[in-house]
Amino acid sequence: MPLPPRRPPNLLRRVFRPSWENLAALVRGADAPPLARDEARTWSLALESRRVPHRVRSLGRAWLVEVPVWHAERAEREIRQYINENPRPAESPPSPPPRPRADDLPTWLAMAALLAFHALVTSRLPELGLFRLFCFDMGPARAALILGGQWWRAATALTLHADAGHAFSNAVIGGIFIALVCRELGNGIGWFLILAGGVLGNICNALVQPPEHASIGFSTAVFAAAAILSGLRAARGGLEFRGFVAPVAAGLGILAMLGSAGEHTDLGAHLMGFAVGLVLGLAAGVLGRAVEPPAWLRRTMGLAALALLPAAWAWAWFWFNA
């Protein structure tokens, strides 16, 4: 049944408040299952050939082709015409319902561990060999020392904070962004990319800062997570101008609001974390449209993310005590 004519919204709403509709539901009815990957790719090619804006989203083993509301009628008409002109020899079996990509519990447990670690390293416990100044001497991301070979500082600095307020805000805000990324990519790949963005952001920051510069805080990884989310949504919007600008602009707005002010704010680290995260998010979005990551890769990346920070601290501890 054709949709009633829709009145196109103004340009501001198209860019900042896009509204999307599931094309399979329009063509096959509200109860239609998600598409298989090959069928979603075929529909996408058909829409691209007719220059109809759309995006393709992965739901594990199932896929969605979504179109802006104001292009829904035209997209439905083009796909119906394509189906009529290219009948399938046999209907493929319906795809299984998508399963949740990630559970938020591991993310919030990790944020609780971040707060517990801050409480531990800021406590003076001589009987355990823990002294605040010692931990804050071997952990910060000092530019000259990172470039001199002490690579672990790019990772250990993510776990150190100037005070409890910074640790708490990074845990809460970071937990929100990390949970959103993991819902898109799964916990294994999501956490791996976020930590990689934080570590690479600190390394890039060391390259552009003076040798005496030092930084600490999980916020580099938090802004990497915000940028990964922006990059994923930009890539799944087809990397077209309209689909690219809104997510990236939203991420830059978050960076401007949360990452550019404050007594202990390191704007360079925030910018580098965001830049690295955006590249990682775009790459993950483009690759995710082409192939579904196998389970072994998800598990391997998850184990690598779980081991990264403890391994960096262990390396720092042995190096300082060698």
Side-chain angles (χ1 to χ4, degrees):
M1 182 179 201
L3 294 172
R6 299 179 185 269
R7 202 174 160 191
N10 58 45
L11 179 60
L12 288 178
R13 180 170 178 182
R14 292 189 190 189
V15 173
F16 294 104
R17 295 186 61 191
S19 181
W20 300 84
E21 289 203 23
N22 179 8
L23 187 55
L26 299 178
V27 175
R28 296 176 176 171
D31 297 329
L35 304 174
R37 185 179 68 180
D38 291 343
E39 190 173 18
R41 184 181 300 174
T42 301
W43 284 25
S44 177
L45 290 173
L47 294 174
E48 285 180 6
S49 68
R50 304 298 295 174
R51 299 186 180 276
V52 179
H54 66 284
R55 68 182 183 186
V56 180
R57 293 179 55 208
S58 171
L59 298 174
R61 297 182 179 179
W63 295 74
L64 292 180
V65 177
E66 296 178 330
V67 294
V69 170
W70 50 92
H71 289 288
E73 182 179 359
R74 180 185 169 200
E76 180 190 7
R77 184 172 61 251
E78 294 292 348
I79 292 301
R80 287 185 183 278
Q81 181 177 349
Y82 172 81
I83 292 174
N84 291 335
E85 294 176 356
N86 301 273
R88 295 172 64 97
E91 279 297 323
S92 59
S95 302
R99 290 180 288 183
R101 299 299 299 267
D103 181 5
D104 293 343
L105 181 60
T107 292
W108 293 112
L109 289 176
M111 295 300 97
L114 183 71
L115 293 175
F117 184 81
H118 172 76
L120 179 65
V121 299
T122 53
S123 301
R124 300 179 185 275
L125 301 172
E127 62 275 14
L128 297 180
L130 293 176
F131 298 90
R132 183 183 190 280
L133 294 179
F134 180 62
C135 293
F136 276 74
D137 183 49
M138 65 180 178
R142 301 186 186 277
L145 296 180
I146 288 177
L147 299 181
Q150 297 185 19
W151 59 268
W152 66 80
R153 291 178 176 272
T156 55
L158 298 175
T159 63
L160 298 174
H161 293 87
D163 51 55
H166 280 81
F168 183 77
S169 62
N170 279 337
V172 174
I173 298 172
I176 293 171
F177 284 118
I178 292 169
L180 292 174
V181 172
C182 290
R183 289 178 188 178
E184 296 277 348
L185 297 174
N187 282 321
I189 295 178
W191 265 101
F192 181 86
L193 293 182
I194 290 164
L195 291 180
V199 171
L200 293 175
N202 280 335
I203 293 175
C204 292
N205 193 38
L207 291 171
V208 300
Q209 297 287 359
E212 65 276 9
H213 179 82
S215 65
I216 56 175
F218 195 69
S219 53
T220 307
V222 172
F223 286 103
I228 289 170
L229 194 63
S230 299
L232 284 171
R233 295 184 174 174
R236 289 171 181 173
L239 294 179
E240 297 177 355
F241 179 77
R242 291 179 182 177
F244 183 86
V245 169
V248 175
L252 290 173
I254 292 169
L255 176 64
M257 288 187 295
L258 303 178
S260 59
E263 182 181 357
H264 299 289
T265 298
D266 188 341
L267 181 58
H270 294 175
L271 283 171
M272 291 301 173
F274 187 90
V276 173
L278 186 61
V279 173
L280 293 176
L282 288 170
V286 171
L287 292 175
R289 294 177 63 183
V291 63
E292 179 69 14
W296 67 265
L297 179 61
R298 295 176 182 274
R299 288 194 294 268
T300 301
M301 296 179 78
L303 291 173
L306 186 64
L308 174 62
L309 297 180
W313 272 111
W315 194 287
W317 187 270
F318 287 121
W319 192 91
F320 267 73
N321 290 276

